[in-house]
Amino acid sequence: MAYVLGIDLGTSSLKGLLMNQAGDVVASASAEYPLIHPKPGYSEQDPQEWLKACEIVLDQLRNDVVDFTTELAGISFSGQMHSLVALDEEEQVLRNAILWNDVRTTAQCQEIMDRFGDELLAITKNVALEGFTLPKILWLQEQEPEIWAKVRHILLPKDYLGYWLTGTMHMDYSDAAGTLLLDEEVKIWSNKVLQEFKIPQEILPTLIDSSGFTGELRPEIAERFAFEQPVKVFAGGADNACAAVGAGILDSGTGMASIGTSGVFLSFEETADQDYQGKLHLFNHAMKDRFYSMGVTLAAGHSLNWFKDTFAPNQSFEDLLSGIDQITPGANGLLFTPYIVGERTPHVDSQIRGSFIGMDTNHTLKHFAKAVLEGITFSLKDSQVLMEEVAGRTFKRIVSVGGGAKNADWLQMQADIFNAEVTCLTAEQGPGLGAAMLAAVGLDWFDSLEACAEVFVSYKEPVYPIPENVMEYEDIYKQYRKVYPATKDICHALLSIDRSEDIGI
């Protein structure tokens, strides 16, 4: 039986997911690579590390699956969004990639919004934030002009990997949307944005659908891994778009709540007509001619990890969270806001910080743990509410993925707070599954992603909201929404206090 390979090029590792035509996982492999932090707030990676990791993964799959080299038919990708890869005229990397989580570009974001903010929002449906590619390009122009003068090609990470495999340069619409260079509605590079910021269009790659064919493996790559037949390569998509595909978010009635280090609440959009005024991201989907809106909680799982490491380092997560179902909604009057590294949605505020509100002597470690889970979920609900208020969304069903899908009590909490049926995947494979599905559609195994999802995606039994809990959480959420405006000025003032004389404890 023929195979497809979904390659997920993430921030810390590259994962390969091998699947057959029946939608079964045949094998998986992964390889890690380092982050580079040359200065505080800087986050970079050597693109050669991605290529080495891909070689490791392909070698491992070749060793583990006896017919891998004879049955692999197609490859596609999921990739970390926004990260800037700059190449010279010889297609050689000019500097380390500047990653999505790099925050050096605050000044450039302000410049972009001051000069071109309204037009940028109208064209790209998004505002300039440090994660996006355009501010990184401006930083390169301003801070490393000698490098910028040599730039002849700009790619994103998965597209650089695709270039290495095929020798061709492409970028799909879902990743292009995250550059702030794409006119999202007409699906072309925006001349207005390029001219405003002096970016030559010829350095940008050819645009293509996510399931679009980009080429076959180069002969030297095919020979290196001993493939015995041509292997087709397809463009792939941005990691969140691929995660949505892999979770079956292919219609407007279903949302996705993803809780990793950060958190995402994502919704399918038929068109790009919704005016979220930059409070939510609006990107092209990996599904052809469709879109998705997305809100981001910067510290979702990170908040829980921080809490455990700080206050319960010797407990497992299972022990820490056991029994929280016995605590009533609202953790007996205790609220937590997960702004420990700033926040993205709905408050674009790098200086806000987290809070525990309502502490008294009756609160135990379990109350605090429950409050942390509730605060993370309330933060995701902020995005849900924006989608409901602006776009008239009604979420009857939400797919929960990541850490929030691994705890039964947290799943029930999500159902109660979102006031929707919550389900999770039978076998959660992440963005790599979406990438494999794009390859399967590209190979014409299926005539659509919806048809592919019927075979490749399955769900566990849903968790339903408990009406009395829903009512309680509605009142508690109203109080939660008051915390940000009440603490904003305090947090900003505290961050301005000189800490140069602080000492470690």
Side-chain angles (χ1 to χ4, degrees), residues 464-477:
Y464 297 97
I466 299 170
E468 54 266 34
N469 289 352
V470 171
M471 293 179 63
E472 288 191 66
Y473 274 126
E474 286 176 353
D475 290 337
I476 298 163
Y477 177 63

PDB file of all heavy atoms in Angstrom, residues 464-477:
ATOM      1  N   TYR A 464     -20.030  16.929  27.156  1.00  0.00           N
ATOM      2  CA  TYR A 464     -21.098  17.922  27.016  1.00  0.00           C
ATOM      3  C   TYR A 464     -21.090  18.891  28.191  1.00  0.00           C
ATOM      4  O   TYR A 464     -20.742  18.518  29.327  1.00  0.00           O
ATOM      5  CB  TYR A 464     -22.454  17.234  26.922  1.00  0.00           C
ATOM      6  CG  TYR A 464     -22.589  16.357  25.705  1.00  0.00           C
ATOM      7  CD1 TYR A 464     -22.366  14.978  25.777  1.00  0.00           C
ATOM      8  CD2 TYR A 464     -22.920  16.911  24.470  1.00  0.00           C
ATOM      9  CE1 TYR A 464     -22.478  14.172  24.652  1.00  0.00           C
ATOM     10  CE2 TYR A 464     -23.036  16.109  23.336  1.00  0.00           C
ATOM     11  CZ  TYR A 464     -22.810  14.747  23.432  1.00  0.00           C
ATOM     12  OH  TYR A 464     -22.908  13.958  22.322  1.00  0.00           O
ATOM     13  N   PRO A 465     -21.458  20.152  27.954  1.00  0.00           N
ATOM     14  CA  PRO A 465     -21.516  21.118  29.058  1.00  0.00           C
ATOM     15  C   PRO A 465     -22.578  20.758  30.079  1.00  0.00           C
ATOM     16  O   PRO A 465     -23.639  20.235  29.729  1.00  0.00           O
ATOM     17  CB  PRO A 465     -21.831  22.440  28.353  1.00  0.00           C
ATOM     18  CG  PRO A 465     -22.434  22.060  27.040  1.00  0.00           C
ATOM     19  CD  PRO A 465     -21.835  20.748  26.663  1.00  0.00           C
ATOM     20  N   ILE A 466     -22.279  21.035  31.336  1.00  0.00           N
ATOM     21  CA  ILE A 466     -23.224  20.838  32.438  1.00  0.00           C
ATOM     22  C   ILE A 466     -23.932  22.181  32.668  1.00  0.00           C
ATOM     23  O   ILE A 466     -23.275  23.178  32.987  1.00  0.00           O
ATOM     24  CB  ILE A 466     -22.489  20.384  33.712  1.00  0.00           C
ATOM     25  CG1 ILE A 466     -21.776  19.048  33.446  1.00  0.00           C
ATOM     26  CG2 ILE A 466     -23.447  20.275  34.885  1.00  0.00           C
ATOM     27  CD1 ILE A 466     -20.830  18.628  34.559  1.00  0.00           C
ATOM     28  N   PRO A 467     -25.248  22.234  32.471  1.00  0.00           N
ATOM     29  CA  PRO A 467     -25.951  23.533  32.472  1.00  0.00           C
ATOM     30  C   PRO A 467     -25.682  24.397  33.696  1.00  0.00           C
ATOM     31  O   PRO A 467     -25.474  25.619  33.561  1.00  0.00           O
ATOM     32  CB  PRO A 467     -27.426  23.123  32.382  1.00  0.00           C
ATOM     33  CG  PRO A 467     -27.398  21.818  31.658  1.00  0.00           C
ATOM     34  CD  PRO A 467     -26.166  21.115  32.141  1.00  0.00           C
ATOM     35  N   GLU A 468     -25.686  23.793  34.898  1.00  0.00           N
ATOM     36  CA  GLU A 468     -25.456  24.626  36.090  1.00  0.00           C
ATOM     37  C   GLU A 468     -24.043  25.188  36.124  1.00  0.00           C
ATOM     38  O   GLU A 468     -23.818  26.313  36.602  1.00  0.00           O
ATOM     39  CB  GLU A 468     -25.767  23.839  37.373  1.00  0.00           C
ATOM     40  CG  GLU A 468     -25.043  22.512  37.498  1.00  0.00           C
ATOM     41  CD  GLU A 468     -25.873  21.346  36.976  1.00  0.00           C
ATOM     42  OE1 GLU A 468     -26.631  21.541  36.001  1.00  0.00           O
ATOM     43  OE2 GLU A 468     -25.758  20.250  37.557  1.00  0.00           O
ATOM     44  N   ASN A 469     -23.067  24.419  35.624  1.00  0.00           N
ATOM     45  CA  ASN A 469     -21.698  24.931  35.554  1.00  0.00           C
ATOM     46  C   ASN A 469     -21.582  26.054  34.531  1.00  0.00           C
ATOM     47  O   ASN A 469     -20.857  27.037  34.741  1.00  0.00           O
ATOM     48  CB  ASN A 469     -20.720  23.808  35.193  1.00  0.00           C
ATOM     49  CG  ASN A 469     -20.526  22.809  36.309  1.00  0.00           C
ATOM     50  OD1 ASN A 469     -20.996  23.016  37.426  1.00  0.00           O
ATOM     51  ND2 ASN A 469     -19.823  21.731  36.013  1.00  0.00           N
ATOM     52  N   VAL A 470     -22.286  25.896  33.414  1.00  0.00           N
ATOM     53  CA  VAL A 470     -22.285  26.940  32.385  1.00  0.00           C
ATOM     54  C   VAL A 470     -22.753  28.261  32.971  1.00  0.00           C
ATOM     55  O   VAL A 470     -22.128  29.320  32.744  1.00  0.00           O
ATOM     56  CB  VAL A 470     -23.174  26.533  31.189  1.00  0.00           C
ATOM     57  CG1 VAL A 470     -23.354  27.710  30.226  1.00  0.00           C
ATOM     58  CG2 VAL A 470     -22.583  25.337  30.460  1.00  0.00           C
ATOM     59  N   MET A 471     -23.817  28.223  33.740  1.00  0.00           N
ATOM     60  CA  MET A 471     -24.362  29.446  34.321  1.00  0.00           C
ATOM     61  C   MET A 471     -23.373  30.077  35.300  1.00  0.00           C
ATOM     62  O   MET A 471     -23.181  31.299  35.312  1.00  0.00           O
ATOM     63  CB  MET A 471     -25.688  29.145  35.017  1.00  0.00           C
ATOM     64  CG  MET A 471     -26.801  28.743  34.059  1.00  0.00           C
ATOM     65  SD  MET A 471     -28.363  28.375  34.910  1.00  0.00           S
ATOM     66  CE  MET A 471     -28.729  29.972  35.619  1.00  0.00           C
ATOM     67  N   GLU A 472     -22.739  29.240  36.128  1.00  0.00           N
ATOM     68  CA  GLU A 472     -21.764  29.776  37.081  1.00  0.00           C
ATOM     69  C   GLU A 472     -20.577  30.397  36.354  1.00  0.00           C
ATOM     70  O   GLU A 472     -20.102  31.480  36.715  1.00  0.00           O
ATOM     71  CB  GLU A 472     -21.285  28.672  38.018  1.00  0.00           C
ATOM     72  CG  GLU A 472     -22.323  28.233  39.039  1.00  0.00           C
ATOM     73  CD  GLU A 472     -21.728  27.331  40.110  1.00  0.00           C
ATOM     74  OE1 GLU A 472     -20.888  27.820  40.891  1.00  0.00           O
ATOM     75  OE2 GLU A 472     -22.098  26.140  40.148  1.00  0.00           O
ATOM     76  N   TYR A 473     -20.093  29.706  35.315  1.00  0.00           N
ATOM     77  CA  TYR A 473     -18.924  30.218  34.615  1.00  0.00           C
ATOM     78  C   TYR A 473     -19.245  31.496  33.845  1.00  0.00           C
ATOM     79  O   TYR A 473     -18.358  32.344  33.655  1.00  0.00           O
ATOM     80  CB  TYR A 473     -18.353  29.154  33.675  1.00  0.00           C
ATOM     81  CG  TYR A 473     -17.392  28.213  34.371  1.00  0.00           C
ATOM     82  CD1 TYR A 473     -17.566  26.830  34.316  1.00  0.00           C
ATOM     83  CD2 TYR A 473     -16.289  28.713  35.074  1.00  0.00           C
ATOM     84  CE1 TYR A 473     -16.681  25.964  34.950  1.00  0.00           C
ATOM     85  CE2 TYR A 473     -15.395  27.858  35.702  1.00  0.00           C
ATOM     86  CZ  TYR A 473     -15.594  26.494  35.643  1.00  0.00           C
ATOM     87  OH  TYR A 473     -14.708  25.650  36.273  1.00  0.00           O
ATOM     88  N   GLU A 474     -20.461  31.665  33.402  1.00  0.00           N
ATOM     89  CA  GLU A 474     -20.819  32.912  32.734  1.00  0.00           C
ATOM     90  C   GLU A 474     -20.632  34.100  33.678  1.00  0.00           C
ATOM     91  O   GLU A 474     -20.125  35.156  33.276  1.00  0.00           O
ATOM     92  CB  GLU A 474     -22.258  32.847  32.227  1.00  0.00           C
ATOM     93  CG  GLU A 474     -22.432  31.972  30.990  1.00  0.00           C
ATOM     94  CD  GLU A 474     -23.883  31.842  30.558  1.00  0.00           C
ATOM     95  OE1 GLU A 474     -24.767  32.324  31.314  1.00  0.00           O
ATOM     96  OE2 GLU A 474     -24.134  31.277  29.475  1.00  0.00           O
ATOM     97  N   ASP A 475     -21.039  33.948  34.932  1.00  0.00           N
ATOM     98  CA  ASP A 475     -20.865  35.027  35.908  1.00  0.00           C
ATOM     99  C   ASP A 475     -19.389  35.231  36.259  1.00  0.00           C
ATOM    100  O   ASP A 475     -18.924  36.371  36.388  1.00  0.00           O
ATOM    101  CB  ASP A 475     -21.652  34.705  37.185  1.00  0.00           C
ATOM    102  CG  ASP A 475     -23.155  34.785  36.980  1.00  0.00           C
ATOM    103  OD1 ASP A 475     -23.579  35.482  36.045  1.00  0.00           O
ATOM    104  OD2 ASP A 475     -23.898  34.121  37.740  1.00  0.00           O
ATOM    105  N   ILE A 476     -18.650  34.134  36.403  1.00  0.00           N
ATOM    106  CA  ILE A 476     -17.232  34.242  36.760  1.00  0.00           C
ATOM    107  C   ILE A 476     -16.439  34.870  35.628  1.00  0.00           C
ATOM    108  O   ILE A 476     -15.556  35.708  35.841  1.00  0.00           O
ATOM    109  CB  ILE A 476     -16.669  32.852  37.125  1.00  0.00           C
ATOM    110  CG1 ILE A 476     -17.393  32.294  38.345  1.00  0.00           C
ATOM    111  CG2 ILE A 476     -15.166  32.926  37.391  1.00  0.00           C
ATOM    112  CD1 ILE A 476     -17.215  30.800  38.535  1.00  0.00           C
ATOM    113  N   TYR A 477     -16.783  34.511  34.383  1.00  0.00           N
ATOM    114  CA  TYR A 477     -16.085  35.069  33.229  1.00  0.00           C
ATOM    115  C   TYR A 477     -16.281  36.586  33.151  1.00  0.00           C
ATOM    116  O   TYR A 477     -15.359  37.326  32.756  1.00  0.00           O
ATOM    117  CB  TYR A 477     -16.569  34.383  31.948  1.00  0.00           C
ATOM    118  CG  TYR A 477     -15.969  34.939  30.682  1.00  0.00           C
ATOM    119  CD1 TYR A 477     -14.594  34.873  30.441  1.00  0.00           C
ATOM    120  CD2 TYR A 477     -16.780  35.530  29.707  1.00  0.00           C
ATOM    121  CE1 TYR A 477     -14.048  35.387  29.272  1.00  0.00           C
ATOM    122  CE2 TYR A 477     -16.242  36.037  28.539  1.00  0.00           C
ATOM    123  CZ  TYR A 477     -14.874  35.963  28.329  1.00  0.00           C
ATOM    124  OH  TYR A 477     -14.331  36.464  27.171  1.00  0.00           O
TER     125      TYR A 477
END
